[in-house]
Every structure is written in C-alpha cells, then in structure tokens.
Amino acid sequence: MSTFRIPTPRFRRPGRAFKRAAVLAAGAGLLTTGLLATPASAAMGDNVVHGPAACAFSEDRSTVALGAAGDQVSQVQCLLANRQYLGWNNLSGTFDANTMAAVAHFQSDHDLVPNGVVNPTTWLALYQAGAPAGPVPPAQPAA
C-alpha cells in the first residue's frame, strides 16, 4: 500500500529586519495620530505632542503654497509642528494663513527667503532642521 502525502507549505519565519520595520511602522502610525502623547498633553485637549512625531503623510517634495490642500500640506504642517513653529492642533491639511506665517518664520530663522512658499530648498531645510533655540511666538491672524 502506497501512502500519498500532501506537501504542506513551509513558511519562513519573519526576519529581524522585517520585525523591526513592522514595529517602527506601527510606532510611527501611533505617533502621527497622537496616540502616544503624554497623559498631561492628552488631558489638555489641544492635541499637543511632546517630542517629535513621525510625519508620514507624503513623500512628494514639489512646491506648496497658500491655498493648497492635501497630504503635502499635512507633511509640511507636521514638520513645522515637530520644530515648534506650528501647534499640533493646526494640522488641517489646508495651507492657510497660520501655516504660511509659520513657514515664513521658519524660512527667516534658517536664512531662506521668507516668502511662505515651501519650495525644494525649504523642504530640505525642514528635514534637516531641529527645534528652534527659543520659543516661537504664535502666528498672528490675517487681517
């Protein structure tokens, strides 16, 4: 009597690099949504995140300006919030007057033309910059 054996598929165990990438991706998602904010900031209700959060909205680095909306703007706002030029409660995905003022202030602090437009030079500076040395005054509402 012959026995017929159905081969079972062999699965490789996930490698260390895969596990690390999964953990980093999960952590980045939690930071971006503000779920890892400190209890004190969560109690304040103003969506404040202490420390840098992962900004993973867009990888597109084309020019963004007043009136734009979408993932690129969310990326700019997140980067500005990480550098304390914009409050976390201002992440709307819409390039409004507050975002433009924050961009212009950032550009001024980093020896760029303070025009409030995020061009490739400003993108590069946003990714390379750290937090400002002192407190950044809040943006004034447009008149």
Side-chain angles (χ1 to χ4, degrees):
M1 178 163 139
S2 69
T3 331
F4 180 72
R5 184 171 167 246
I6 298 174
T8 57
R10 292 182 172 231
F11 296 101
R12 294 183 76 189
R13 291 181 50 189
R16 190 180 318 171
F18 177 77
K19 288 179 185 176
R20 184 170 185 226
V23 168
L24 290 173
L30 291 174
L31 284 171
T32 302
T33 58
L35 294 178
L36 292 183
T38 61
S41 64
M44 293 189 313
D46 59 356
N47 198 18
V48 174
V49 177
H50 297 286
C55 298
F57 296 98
S58 175
E59 292 184 19
D60 186 358
R61 304 290 177 261
S62 55
T63 301
V64 211
L66 184 65
D71 290 342
Q72 279 183 290
V73 177
S74 295
Q75 186 74 11
V76 169
Q77 290 172 334
C78 183
L79 291 167
L80 288 167
N82 270 337
R83 280 126 188 92
Q84 301 172 5
Y85 285 88
L86 194 63
W88 285 106
N89 54 343
N90 289 323
L91 267 70
S92 63
T94 302
F95 202 115
D96 55 10
N98 285 336
T99 304
M100 187 173 89
V103 169
H105 190 191
F106 174 84
Q107 290 169 325
S108 177
D109 286 353
H110 291 86
D111 298 324
L112 301 170
V113 176
N115 59 6
V117 175
V118 183
N119 57 25
T121 307
T122 304
W123 277 112
L124 183 63
L126 278 167
Y127 278 101
Q128 293 178 345
V136 176
Q140 299 299 321

